[in-house]
Amino acid sequence: NAGVMQNPRHLVRRRGQEARLRCSPMKGHSHVYWYRQLPEEGLKFMVYLQKENIIDESGMPKERFSAEFPKEGPSILRIQQVVRGDSAAYFCASSRPPVKGYQETQYFGPGTRLLVL
Amino acid sequence: AQSVTQLDSQVPVFEEAPVELRCNYSSSVSVYLFWYVQYPNQGLQLLLKYLSGSTLVKGINGFEAEFNKSQTSFHLRKPSVHISDTAEYFCAVSEGLGNEKLTFGTGTRLTIIP
């Protein structure tokens, strides 16, 4: 049973370019979360999606960042016109839908390390 | 709003000695609590979680944690550490159904000294 897959693992972009980060959840998981980890910091929540639906985007910057989780295919985190401050590790997590009234465990992928030159 | 405090950014411990990594949280509602471990250049792996029930939670790799509601703490412990425990440890909270996002602490780097 493959875990959460993220690609690319490393991504280098010049200022002003676009970055596309992909996340394939574990089999049977329909919920996806994106987190960002800046150097020497903990992870910060960005967005929570279900298939074709954004549930919570309270952690997303208002501009240049967007996320989607289509009916088919991976979830995509898109950063337009990247700046040096976007350099970070971006982690995706997935979970099953909640059952029995309990929150399901979030399983994390290996992350995409974005470097903006 | 919820928050998590991990006061110790780095903890050096001799091999086979016990260790405690501290975690305190604040929230206006009941919370779920988690400890994750991150090995270099890897993603996060769940060590253990508290959802309800017994306040002493046992996890993988010999770790355990105790939920203390009055002190709003969820400290992680291991009676005897191994070199392979060298990693970054993150405490996290969520407010459960309807607000599943995790709020993380800044992490504690555990270094095992041979």
Side-chain angles (χ1 to χ4, degrees), chain A residues 35-72:
Chain A
Y35 295 85
R36 175 165 64 175
Q37 184 179 32
L38 294 169
E40 306 301 321
E41 294 187 18
L43 281 74
K44 295 281 196 291
F45 168 78
M46 299 181 75
V47 63
Y48 166 31
L49 311 103
Q50 296 176 16
K51 290 277 188 181
E52 300 183 284
N53 196 18
I54 295 176
I55 305 302
D56 182 353
E57 56 181 346
S58 58
M60 286 280 270
K62 298 298 181 195
E63 298 177 347
R64 301 188 298 109
F65 285 72
S66 63
E68 63 175 4
F69 189 16
K71 186 177 181 181
E72 301 291 338

PDB file of all heavy atoms in Angstrom, chain A residues 35-72:
ATOM      1  N   TYR A  35       0.603  21.762   3.856  1.00  0.00           N
ATOM      2  CA  TYR A  35       1.296  22.501   4.897  1.00  0.00           C
ATOM      3  C   TYR A  35       2.613  23.027   4.337  1.00  0.00           C
ATOM      4  O   TYR A  35       3.205  22.428   3.455  1.00  0.00           O
ATOM      5  CB  TYR A  35       1.617  21.586   6.102  1.00  0.00           C
ATOM      6  CG  TYR A  35       0.417  21.068   6.846  1.00  0.00           C
ATOM      7  CD1 TYR A  35      -0.257  19.920   6.412  1.00  0.00           C
ATOM      8  CD2 TYR A  35      -0.057  21.703   7.994  1.00  0.00           C
ATOM      9  CE1 TYR A  35      -1.363  19.432   7.094  1.00  0.00           C
ATOM     10  CE2 TYR A  35      -1.159  21.219   8.689  1.00  0.00           C
ATOM     11  CZ  TYR A  35      -1.807  20.092   8.234  1.00  0.00           C
ATOM     12  OH  TYR A  35      -2.900  19.611   8.911  1.00  0.00           O
ATOM     13  N   ARG A  36       3.076  24.140   4.915  1.00  0.00           N
ATOM     14  CA  ARG A  36       4.361  24.707   4.490  1.00  0.00           C
ATOM     15  C   ARG A  36       5.295  24.749   5.700  1.00  0.00           C
ATOM     16  O   ARG A  36       4.873  25.122   6.808  1.00  0.00           O
ATOM     17  CB  ARG A  36       4.155  26.121   3.929  1.00  0.00           C
ATOM     18  CG  ARG A  36       5.453  26.811   3.577  1.00  0.00           C
ATOM     19  CD  ARG A  36       5.215  28.028   2.700  1.00  0.00           C
ATOM     20  NE  ARG A  36       4.450  29.078   3.357  1.00  0.00           N
ATOM     21  CZ  ARG A  36       4.210  30.267   2.800  1.00  0.00           C
ATOM     22  NH1 ARG A  36       4.680  30.531   1.601  1.00  0.00           N
ATOM     23  NH2 ARG A  36       3.506  31.167   3.449  1.00  0.00           N
ATOM     24  N   GLN A  37       6.538  24.373   5.481  1.00  0.00           N
ATOM     25  CA  GLN A  37       7.545  24.417   6.533  1.00  0.00           C
ATOM     26  C   GLN A  37       8.678  25.334   6.107  1.00  0.00           C
ATOM     27  O   GLN A  37       9.452  24.991   5.207  1.00  0.00           O
ATOM     28  CB  GLN A  37       8.079  23.017   6.845  1.00  0.00           C
ATOM     29  CG  GLN A  37       9.057  22.975   8.008  1.00  0.00           C
ATOM     30  CD  GLN A  37       9.552  21.567   8.296  1.00  0.00           C
ATOM     31  OE1 GLN A  37       9.678  20.741   7.392  1.00  0.00           O
ATOM     32  NE2 GLN A  37       9.830  21.269   9.562  1.00  0.00           N
ATOM     33  N   LEU A  38       8.762  26.484   6.750  1.00  0.00           N
ATOM     34  CA  LEU A  38       9.865  27.391   6.490  1.00  0.00           C
ATOM     35  C   LEU A  38      11.087  26.912   7.267  1.00  0.00           C
ATOM     36  O   LEU A  38      10.941  26.193   8.266  1.00  0.00           O
ATOM     37  CB  LEU A  38       9.475  28.810   6.903  1.00  0.00           C
ATOM     38  CG  LEU A  38       8.350  29.440   6.073  1.00  0.00           C
ATOM     39  CD1 LEU A  38       7.856  30.710   6.703  1.00  0.00           C
ATOM     40  CD2 LEU A  38       8.838  29.694   4.650  1.00  0.00           C
ATOM     41  N   PRO A  39      12.289  27.301   6.839  1.00  0.00           N
ATOM     42  CA  PRO A  39      13.508  26.838   7.515  1.00  0.00           C
ATOM     43  C   PRO A  39      13.454  27.092   9.011  1.00  0.00           C
ATOM     44  O   PRO A  39      13.103  28.177   9.454  1.00  0.00           O
ATOM     45  CB  PRO A  39      14.601  27.662   6.835  1.00  0.00           C
ATOM     46  CG  PRO A  39      14.057  27.953   5.478  1.00  0.00           C
ATOM     47  CD  PRO A  39      12.574  28.141   5.674  1.00  0.00           C
ATOM     48  N   GLU A  40      13.808  26.060   9.781  1.00  0.00           N
ATOM     49  CA  GLU A  40      13.880  26.152  11.248  1.00  0.00           C
ATOM     50  C   GLU A  40      12.524  26.446  11.898  1.00  0.00           C
ATOM     51  O   GLU A  40      12.474  26.943  13.016  1.00  0.00           O
ATOM     52  CB  GLU A  40      14.897  27.218  11.677  1.00  0.00           C
ATOM     53  CG  GLU A  40      16.278  27.034  11.080  1.00  0.00           C
ATOM     54  CD  GLU A  40      16.910  25.698  11.442  1.00  0.00           C
ATOM     55  OE1 GLU A  40      16.738  25.269  12.599  1.00  0.00           O
ATOM     56  OE2 GLU A  40      17.556  25.068  10.578  1.00  0.00           O
ATOM     57  N   GLU A  41      11.431  26.151  11.219  1.00  0.00           N
ATOM     58  CA  GLU A  41      10.110  26.376  11.804  1.00  0.00           C
ATOM     59  C   GLU A  41       9.269  25.110  11.719  1.00  0.00           C
ATOM     60  O   GLU A  41       9.606  24.162  11.030  1.00  0.00           O
ATOM     61  CB  GLU A  41       9.390  27.520  11.088  1.00  0.00           C
ATOM     62  CG  GLU A  41      10.037  28.875  11.277  1.00  0.00           C
ATOM     63  CD  GLU A  41       9.179  29.976  10.682  1.00  0.00           C
ATOM     64  OE1 GLU A  41       7.980  29.743  10.442  1.00  0.00           O
ATOM     65  OE2 GLU A  41       9.700  31.085  10.486  1.00  0.00           O
ATOM     66  N   GLY A  42       8.160  25.128  12.426  1.00  0.00           N
ATOM     67  CA  GLY A  42       7.210  24.025  12.328  1.00  0.00           C
ATOM     68  C   GLY A  42       6.368  24.168  11.086  1.00  0.00           C
ATOM     69  O   GLY A  42       6.506  25.106  10.311  1.00  0.00           O
ATOM     70  N   LEU A  43       5.494  23.210  10.891  1.00  0.00           N
ATOM     71  CA  LEU A  43       4.617  23.240   9.723  1.00  0.00           C
ATOM     72  C   LEU A  43       3.439  24.171   9.970  1.00  0.00           C
ATOM     73  O   LEU A  43       2.875  24.209  11.066  1.00  0.00           O
ATOM     74  CB  LEU A  43       4.084  21.839   9.424  1.00  0.00           C
ATOM     75  CG  LEU A  43       5.028  20.888   8.696  1.00  0.00           C
ATOM     76  CD1 LEU A  43       6.120  20.387   9.603  1.00  0.00           C
ATOM     77  CD2 LEU A  43       4.250  19.728   8.104  1.00  0.00           C
ATOM     78  N   LYS A  44       3.062  24.887   8.918  1.00  0.00           N
ATOM     79  CA  LYS A  44       1.911  25.790   8.993  1.00  0.00           C
ATOM     80  C   LYS A  44       0.856  25.316   7.991  1.00  0.00           C
ATOM     81  O   LYS A  44       1.168  25.103   6.807  1.00  0.00           O
ATOM     82  CB  LYS A  44       2.334  27.225   8.647  1.00  0.00           C
ATOM     83  CG  LYS A  44       3.305  27.828   9.639  1.00  0.00           C
ATOM     84  CD  LYS A  44       2.636  28.310  10.882  1.00  0.00           C
ATOM     85  CE  LYS A  44       3.498  29.252  11.703  1.00  0.00           C
ATOM     86  NZ  LYS A  44       4.630  28.623  12.331  1.00  0.00           N
ATOM     87  N   PHE A  45      -0.372  25.204   8.470  1.00  0.00           N
ATOM     88  CA  PHE A  45      -1.479  24.784   7.629  1.00  0.00           C
ATOM     89  C   PHE A  45      -1.738  25.797   6.522  1.00  0.00           C
ATOM     90  O   PHE A  45      -1.690  27.016   6.743  1.00  0.00           O
ATOM     91  CB  PHE A  45      -2.738  24.636   8.484  1.00  0.00           C
ATOM     92  CG  PHE A  45      -4.006  24.482   7.709  1.00  0.00           C
ATOM     93  CD1 PHE A  45      -4.341  23.262   7.135  1.00  0.00           C
ATOM     94  CD2 PHE A  45      -4.860  25.552   7.524  1.00  0.00           C
ATOM     95  CE1 PHE A  45      -5.515  23.111   6.415  1.00  0.00           C
ATOM     96  CE2 PHE A  45      -6.040  25.414   6.814  1.00  0.00           C
ATOM     97  CZ  PHE A  45      -6.367  24.189   6.252  1.00  0.00           C
ATOM     98  N   MET A  46      -2.008  25.283   5.323  1.00  0.00           N
ATOM     99  CA  MET A  46      -2.353  26.161   4.211  1.00  0.00           C
ATOM    100  C   MET A  46      -3.801  25.947   3.770  1.00  0.00           C
ATOM    101  O   MET A  46      -4.606  26.866   3.771  1.00  0.00           O
ATOM    102  CB  MET A  46      -1.409  25.919   3.034  1.00  0.00           C
ATOM    103  CG  MET A  46       0.050  26.186   3.324  1.00  0.00           C
ATOM    104  SD  MET A  46       1.079  25.913   1.888  1.00  0.00           S
ATOM    105  CE  MET A  46       0.675  27.377   0.940  1.00  0.00           C
ATOM    106  N   VAL A  47      -4.125  24.701   3.372  1.00  0.00           N
ATOM    107  CA  VAL A  47      -5.436  24.460   2.777  1.00  0.00           C
ATOM    108  C   VAL A  47      -5.847  23.012   2.974  1.00  0.00           C
ATOM    109  O   VAL A  47      -4.989  22.119   3.076  1.00  0.00           O
ATOM    110  CB  VAL A  47      -5.410  24.836   1.270  1.00  0.00           C
ATOM    111  CG1 VAL A  47      -4.429  23.939   0.516  1.00  0.00           C
ATOM    112  CG2 VAL A  47      -6.786  24.769   0.641  1.00  0.00           C
ATOM    113  N   TYR A  48      -7.179  22.805   3.019  1.00  0.00           N
ATOM    114  CA  TYR A  48      -7.762  21.477   3.220  1.00  0.00           C
ATOM    115  C   TYR A  48      -8.788  21.272   2.112  1.00  0.00           C
ATOM    116  O   TYR A  48      -9.676  22.106   1.917  1.00  0.00           O
ATOM    117  CB  TYR A  48      -8.388  21.428   4.610  1.00  0.00           C
ATOM    118  CG  TYR A  48      -9.330  20.284   4.912  1.00  0.00           C
ATOM    119  CD1 TYR A  48      -9.194  19.032   4.322  1.00  0.00           C
ATOM    120  CD2 TYR A  48     -10.356  20.456   5.837  1.00  0.00           C
ATOM    121  CE1 TYR A  48     -10.064  18.001   4.628  1.00  0.00           C
ATOM    122  CE2 TYR A  48     -11.229  19.427   6.162  1.00  0.00           C
ATOM    123  CZ  TYR A  48     -11.079  18.206   5.549  1.00  0.00           C
ATOM    124  OH  TYR A  48     -11.928  17.175   5.863  1.00  0.00           O
ATOM    125  N   LEU A  49      -8.627  20.158   1.373  1.00  0.00           N
ATOM    126  CA  LEU A  49      -9.508  19.917   0.232  1.00  0.00           C
ATOM    127  C   LEU A  49     -10.083  18.505   0.279  1.00  0.00           C
ATOM    128  O   LEU A  49      -9.449  17.579   0.781  1.00  0.00           O
ATOM    129  CB  LEU A  49      -8.733  20.050  -1.094  1.00  0.00           C
ATOM    130  CG  LEU A  49      -7.867  21.271  -1.323  1.00  0.00           C
ATOM    131  CD1 LEU A  49      -6.405  20.940  -1.126  1.00  0.00           C
ATOM    132  CD2 LEU A  49      -8.092  21.818  -2.708  1.00  0.00           C
ATOM    133  N   GLN A  50     -11.273  18.387  -0.255  1.00  0.00           N
ATOM    134  CA  GLN A  50     -11.839  17.109  -0.634  1.00  0.00           C
ATOM    135  C   GLN A  50     -11.929  17.117  -2.160  1.00  0.00           C
ATOM    136  O   GLN A  50     -11.697  18.140  -2.795  1.00  0.00           O
ATOM    137  CB  GLN A  50     -13.212  16.906  -0.003  1.00  0.00           C
ATOM    138  CG  GLN A  50     -13.178  16.828   1.507  1.00  0.00           C
ATOM    139  CD  GLN A  50     -14.574  16.724   2.097  1.00  0.00           C
ATOM    140  OE1 GLN A  50     -15.537  16.417   1.406  1.00  0.00           O
ATOM    141  NE2 GLN A  50     -14.687  16.988   3.378  1.00  0.00           N
ATOM    142  N   LYS A  51     -12.318  15.997  -2.710  1.00  0.00           N
ATOM    143  CA  LYS A  51     -12.430  15.935  -4.168  1.00  0.00           C
ATOM    144  C   LYS A  51     -13.343  17.058  -4.673  1.00  0.00           C
ATOM    145  O   LYS A  51     -14.482  17.183  -4.227  1.00  0.00           O
ATOM    146  CB  LYS A  51     -13.017  14.593  -4.584  1.00  0.00           C
ATOM    147  CG  LYS A  51     -12.084  13.412  -4.368  1.00  0.00           C
ATOM    148  CD  LYS A  51     -11.116  13.269  -5.502  1.00  0.00           C
ATOM    149  CE  LYS A  51     -10.323  11.970  -5.385  1.00  0.00           C
ATOM    150  NZ  LYS A  51      -9.346  11.839  -6.492  1.00  0.00           N
ATOM    151  N   GLU A  52     -12.799  17.893  -5.549  1.00  0.00           N
ATOM    152  CA  GLU A  52     -13.527  18.966  -6.220  1.00  0.00           C
ATOM    153  C   GLU A  52     -14.076  20.017  -5.253  1.00  0.00           C
ATOM    154  O   GLU A  52     -14.993  20.771  -5.610  1.00  0.00           O
ATOM    155  CB  GLU A  52     -14.693  18.390  -7.052  1.00  0.00           C
ATOM    156  CG  GLU A  52     -14.247  17.415  -8.134  1.00  0.00           C
ATOM    157  CD  GLU A  52     -15.399  16.922  -8.982  1.00  0.00           C
ATOM    158  OE1 GLU A  52     -16.163  16.060  -8.482  1.00  0.00           O
ATOM    159  OE2 GLU A  52     -15.540  17.380 -10.116  1.00  0.00           O
ATOM    160  N   ASN A  53     -13.523  20.102  -4.068  1.00  0.00           N
ATOM    161  CA  ASN A  53     -14.091  21.027  -3.094  1.00  0.00           C
ATOM    162  C   ASN A  53     -13.010  21.529  -2.133  1.00  0.00           C
ATOM    163  O   ASN A  53     -12.251  20.735  -1.594  1.00  0.00           O
ATOM    164  CB  ASN A  53     -15.199  20.311  -2.317  1.00  0.00           C
ATOM    165  CG  ASN A  53     -16.090  21.273  -1.583  1.00  0.00           C
ATOM    166  OD1 ASN A  53     -16.118  22.457  -1.886  1.00  0.00           O
ATOM    167  ND2 ASN A  53     -16.826  20.758  -0.614  1.00  0.00           N
ATOM    168  N   ILE A  54     -12.941  22.836  -1.941  1.00  0.00           N
ATOM    169  CA  ILE A  54     -12.043  23.406  -0.941  1.00  0.00           C
ATOM    170  C   ILE A  54     -12.820  23.556   0.357  1.00  0.00           C
ATOM    171  O   ILE A  54     -13.841  24.249   0.411  1.00  0.00           O
ATOM    172  CB  ILE A  54     -11.486  24.769  -1.391  1.00  0.00           C
ATOM    173  CG1 ILE A  54     -10.609  24.591  -2.630  1.00  0.00           C
ATOM    174  CG2 ILE A  54     -10.676  25.406  -0.265  1.00  0.00           C
ATOM    175  CD1 ILE A  54     -10.098  25.898  -3.210  1.00  0.00           C
ATOM    176  N   ILE A  55     -12.336  22.908   1.409  1.00  0.00           N
ATOM    177  CA  ILE A  55     -13.031  22.922   2.689  1.00  0.00           C
ATOM    178  C   ILE A  55     -12.571  24.087   3.558  1.00  0.00           C
ATOM    179  O   ILE A  55     -13.379  24.760   4.192  1.00  0.00           O
ATOM    180  CB  ILE A  55     -12.815  21.605   3.448  1.00  0.00           C
ATOM    181  CG1 ILE A  55     -13.238  20.410   2.585  1.00  0.00           C
ATOM    182  CG2 ILE A  55     -13.558  21.611   4.773  1.00  0.00           C
ATOM    183  CD1 ILE A  55     -14.683  20.463   2.138  1.00  0.00           C
ATOM    184  N   ASP A  56     -11.273  24.311   3.607  1.00  0.00           N
ATOM    185  CA  ASP A  56     -10.714  25.334   4.485  1.00  0.00           C
ATOM    186  C   ASP A  56      -9.447  25.871   3.839  1.00  0.00           C
ATOM    187  O   ASP A  56      -8.501  25.124   3.638  1.00  0.00           O
ATOM    188  CB  ASP A  56     -10.409  24.736   5.869  1.00  0.00           C
ATOM    189  CG  ASP A  56      -9.856  25.748   6.874  1.00  0.00           C
ATOM    190  OD1 ASP A  56      -9.565  26.895   6.490  1.00  0.00           O
ATOM    191  OD2 ASP A  56      -9.692  25.365   8.053  1.00  0.00           O
ATOM    192  N   GLU A  57      -9.449  27.129   3.477  1.00  0.00           N
ATOM    193  CA  GLU A  57      -8.247  27.737   2.881  1.00  0.00           C
ATOM    194  C   GLU A  57      -7.761  28.900   3.728  1.00  0.00           C
ATOM    195  O   GLU A  57      -7.147  29.843   3.228  1.00  0.00           O
ATOM    196  CB  GLU A  57      -8.517  28.183   1.446  1.00  0.00           C
ATOM    197  CG  GLU A  57      -9.676  29.121   1.278  1.00  0.00           C
ATOM    198  CD  GLU A  57      -9.910  29.498  -0.185  1.00  0.00           C
ATOM    199  OE1 GLU A  57      -9.034  29.243  -1.032  1.00  0.00           O
ATOM    200  OE2 GLU A  57     -10.994  30.063  -0.466  1.00  0.00           O
ATOM    201  N   SER A  58      -8.024  28.828   5.020  1.00  0.00           N
ATOM    202  CA  SER A  58      -7.699  29.941   5.918  1.00  0.00           C
ATOM    203  C   SER A  58      -6.198  30.204   6.030  1.00  0.00           C
ATOM    204  O   SER A  58      -5.789  31.277   6.433  1.00  0.00           O
ATOM    205  CB  SER A  58      -8.283  29.679   7.310  1.00  0.00           C
ATOM    206  OG  SER A  58      -7.781  28.455   7.844  1.00  0.00           O
ATOM    207  N   GLY A  59      -5.371  29.241   5.667  1.00  0.00           N
ATOM    208  CA  GLY A  59      -3.919  29.424   5.765  1.00  0.00           C
ATOM    209  C   GLY A  59      -3.251  29.786   4.454  1.00  0.00           C
ATOM    210  O   GLY A  59      -2.027  29.953   4.416  1.00  0.00           O
ATOM    211  N   MET A  60      -4.022  29.944   3.425  1.00  0.00           N
ATOM    212  CA  MET A  60      -3.443  30.255   2.107  1.00  0.00           C
ATOM    213  C   MET A  60      -3.207  31.753   1.984  1.00  0.00           C
ATOM    214  O   MET A  60      -4.088  32.562   2.307  1.00  0.00           O
ATOM    215  CB  MET A  60      -4.397  29.814   0.998  1.00  0.00           C
ATOM    216  CG  MET A  60      -4.438  28.338   0.794  1.00  0.00           C
ATOM    217  SD  MET A  60      -3.070  27.743  -0.182  1.00  0.00           S
ATOM    218  CE  MET A  60      -3.791  27.888  -1.819  1.00  0.00           C
ATOM    219  N   PRO A  61      -2.032  32.143   1.494  1.00  0.00           N
ATOM    220  CA  PRO A  61      -1.840  33.564   1.174  1.00  0.00           C
ATOM    221  C   PRO A  61      -2.904  34.014   0.175  1.00  0.00           C
ATOM    222  O   PRO A  61      -3.355  33.232  -0.668  1.00  0.00           O
ATOM    223  CB  PRO A  61      -0.444  33.586   0.544  1.00  0.00           C
ATOM    224  CG  PRO A  61       0.246  32.378   1.112  1.00  0.00           C
ATOM    225  CD  PRO A  61      -0.824  31.347   1.250  1.00  0.00           C
ATOM    226  N   LYS A  62      -3.294  35.278   0.284  1.00  0.00           N
ATOM    227  CA  LYS A  62      -4.424  35.768  -0.520  1.00  0.00           C
ATOM    228  C   LYS A  62      -4.094  35.835  -1.993  1.00  0.00           C
ATOM    229  O   LYS A  62      -4.982  35.710  -2.855  1.00  0.00           O
ATOM    230  CB  LYS A  62      -4.838  37.166  -0.036  1.00  0.00           C
ATOM    231  CG  LYS A  62      -5.325  37.185   1.405  1.00  0.00           C
ATOM    232  CD  LYS A  62      -6.552  36.335   1.602  1.00  0.00           C
ATOM    233  CE  LYS A  62      -7.014  36.388   3.043  1.00  0.00           C
ATOM    234  NZ  LYS A  62      -7.974  35.339   3.379  1.00  0.00           N
ATOM    235  N   GLU A  63      -2.834  36.035  -2.312  1.00  0.00           N
ATOM    236  CA  GLU A  63      -2.453  36.199  -3.710  1.00  0.00           C
ATOM    237  C   GLU A  63      -1.426  35.154  -4.111  1.00  0.00           C
ATOM    238  O   GLU A  63      -0.677  34.630  -3.293  1.00  0.00           O
ATOM    239  CB  GLU A  63      -1.866  37.607  -3.931  1.00  0.00           C
ATOM    240  CG  GLU A  63      -2.863  38.713  -3.640  1.00  0.00           C
ATOM    241  CD  GLU A  63      -2.249  40.097  -3.794  1.00  0.00           C
ATOM    242  OE1 GLU A  63      -1.013  40.197  -3.890  1.00  0.00           O
ATOM    243  OE2 GLU A  63      -3.013  41.073  -3.828  1.00  0.00           O
ATOM    244  N   ARG A  64      -1.427  34.799  -5.345  1.00  0.00           N
ATOM    245  CA  ARG A  64      -0.449  33.952  -6.050  1.00  0.00           C
ATOM    246  C   ARG A  64      -0.581  32.468  -5.730  1.00  0.00           C
ATOM    247  O   ARG A  64      -0.049  31.650  -6.475  1.00  0.00           O
ATOM    248  CB  ARG A  64       0.995  34.405  -5.737  1.00  0.00           C
ATOM    249  CG  ARG A  64       1.318  35.836  -6.123  1.00  0.00           C
ATOM    250  CD  ARG A  64       2.804  36.144  -5.962  1.00  0.00           C
ATOM    251  NE  ARG A  64       3.248  36.018  -4.564  1.00  0.00           N
ATOM    252  CZ  ARG A  64       4.022  35.051  -4.112  1.00  0.00           C
ATOM    253  NH1 ARG A  64       4.426  34.089  -4.930  1.00  0.00           N
ATOM    254  NH2 ARG A  64       4.386  35.017  -2.843  1.00  0.00           N
ATOM    255  N   PHE A  65      -1.235  32.089  -4.667  1.00  0.00           N
ATOM    256  CA  PHE A  65      -1.352  30.685  -4.279  1.00  0.00           C
ATOM    257  C   PHE A  65      -2.755  30.163  -4.584  1.00  0.00           C
ATOM    258  O   PHE A  65      -3.748  30.836  -4.311  1.00  0.00           O
ATOM    259  CB  PHE A  65      -1.079  30.505  -2.784  1.00  0.00           C
ATOM    260  CG  PHE A  65       0.357  30.610  -2.380  1.00  0.00           C
ATOM    261  CD1 PHE A  65       1.006  31.832  -2.374  1.00  0.00           C
ATOM    262  CD2 PHE A  65       1.055  29.477  -2.003  1.00  0.00           C
ATOM    263  CE1 PHE A  65       2.339  31.928  -2.003  1.00  0.00           C
ATOM    264  CE2 PHE A  65       2.391  29.558  -1.624  1.00  0.00           C
ATOM    265  CZ  PHE A  65       3.030  30.794  -1.623  1.00  0.00           C
ATOM    266  N   SER A  66      -2.818  28.938  -5.125  1.00  0.00           N
ATOM    267  CA  SER A  66      -4.103  28.287  -5.339  1.00  0.00           C
ATOM    268  C   SER A  66      -3.919  26.785  -5.208  1.00  0.00           C
ATOM    269  O   SER A  66      -2.806  26.267  -5.349  1.00  0.00           O
ATOM    270  CB  SER A  66      -4.688  28.643  -6.710  1.00  0.00           C
ATOM    271  OG  SER A  66      -3.834  28.173  -7.743  1.00  0.00           O
ATOM    272  N   ALA A  67      -5.008  26.096  -4.929  1.00  0.00           N
ATOM    273  CA  ALA A  67      -4.954  24.648  -4.781  1.00  0.00           C
ATOM    274  C   ALA A  67      -6.211  24.044  -5.366  1.00  0.00           C
ATOM    275  O   ALA A  67      -7.276  24.663  -5.360  1.00  0.00           O
ATOM    276  CB  ALA A  67      -4.808  24.254  -3.309  1.00  0.00           C
ATOM    277  N   GLU A  68      -6.050  22.822  -5.860  1.00  0.00           N
ATOM    278  CA  GLU A  68      -7.195  22.089  -6.379  1.00  0.00           C
ATOM    279  C   GLU A  68      -7.004  20.609  -6.121  1.00  0.00           C
ATOM    280  O   GLU A  68      -5.890  20.115  -5.960  1.00  0.00           O
ATOM    281  CB  GLU A  68      -7.369  22.352  -7.881  1.00  0.00           C
ATOM    282  CG  GLU A  68      -6.220  21.871  -8.733  1.00  0.00           C
ATOM    283  CD  GLU A  68      -6.495  22.053 -10.226  1.00  0.00           C
ATOM    284  OE1 GLU A  68      -7.537  22.610 -10.589  1.00  0.00           O
ATOM    285  OE2 GLU A  68      -5.649  21.616 -11.030  1.00  0.00           O
ATOM    286  N   PHE A  69      -8.122  19.902  -6.119  1.00  0.00           N
ATOM    287  CA  PHE A  69      -8.113  18.451  -5.963  1.00  0.00           C
ATOM    288  C   PHE A  69      -9.226  17.937  -6.876  1.00  0.00           C
ATOM    289  O   PHE A  69     -10.377  17.788  -6.456  1.00  0.00           O
ATOM    290  CB  PHE A  69      -8.362  18.062  -4.514  1.00  0.00           C
ATOM    291  CG  PHE A  69      -8.160  16.597  -4.206  1.00  0.00           C
ATOM    292  CD1 PHE A  69      -7.480  15.749  -5.079  1.00  0.00           C
ATOM    293  CD2 PHE A  69      -8.653  16.060  -3.028  1.00  0.00           C
ATOM    294  CE1 PHE A  69      -7.293  14.411  -4.794  1.00  0.00           C
ATOM    295  CE2 PHE A  69      -8.467  14.716  -2.716  1.00  0.00           C
ATOM    296  CZ  PHE A  69      -7.792  13.901  -3.600  1.00  0.00           C
ATOM    297  N   PRO A  70      -8.889  17.688  -8.143  1.00  0.00           N
ATOM    298  CA  PRO A  70      -9.925  17.311  -9.104  1.00  0.00           C
ATOM    299  C   PRO A  70     -10.467  15.912  -8.856  1.00  0.00           C
ATOM    300  O   PRO A  70      -9.900  15.125  -8.095  1.00  0.00           O
ATOM    301  CB  PRO A  70      -9.174  17.393 -10.443  1.00  0.00           C
ATOM    302  CG  PRO A  70      -7.740  17.181 -10.089  1.00  0.00           C
ATOM    303  CD  PRO A  70      -7.558  17.774  -8.725  1.00  0.00           C
ATOM    304  N   LYS A  71     -11.553  15.623  -9.555  1.00  0.00           N
ATOM    305  CA  LYS A  71     -12.186  14.311  -9.416  1.00  0.00           C
ATOM    306  C   LYS A  71     -11.201  13.201  -9.773  1.00  0.00           C
ATOM    307  O   LYS A  71     -11.184  12.139  -9.147  1.00  0.00           O
ATOM    308  CB  LYS A  71     -13.419  14.247 -10.316  1.00  0.00           C
ATOM    309  CG  LYS A  71     -14.246  12.997 -10.162  1.00  0.00           C
ATOM    310  CD  LYS A  71     -15.494  13.064 -11.041  1.00  0.00           C
ATOM    311  CE  LYS A  71     -16.332  11.807 -10.873  1.00  0.00           C
ATOM    312  NZ  LYS A  71     -17.557  11.863 -11.752  1.00  0.00           N
ATOM    313  N   GLU A  72     -10.423  13.435 -10.816  1.00  0.00           N
ATOM    314  CA  GLU A  72      -9.405  12.471 -11.220  1.00  0.00           C
ATOM    315  C   GLU A  72      -8.031  13.122 -11.125  1.00  0.00           C
ATOM    316  O   GLU A  72      -7.875  14.278 -11.495  1.00  0.00           O
ATOM    317  CB  GLU A  72      -9.655  12.016 -12.678  1.00  0.00           C
ATOM    318  CG  GLU A  72     -11.020  11.357 -12.904  1.00  0.00           C
ATOM    319  CD  GLU A  72     -11.123  10.001 -12.233  1.00  0.00           C
ATOM    320  OE1 GLU A  72     -10.067   9.388 -11.972  1.00  0.00           O
ATOM    321  OE2 GLU A  72     -12.254   9.555 -11.948  1.00  0.00           O
TER     322      GLU A  72
END
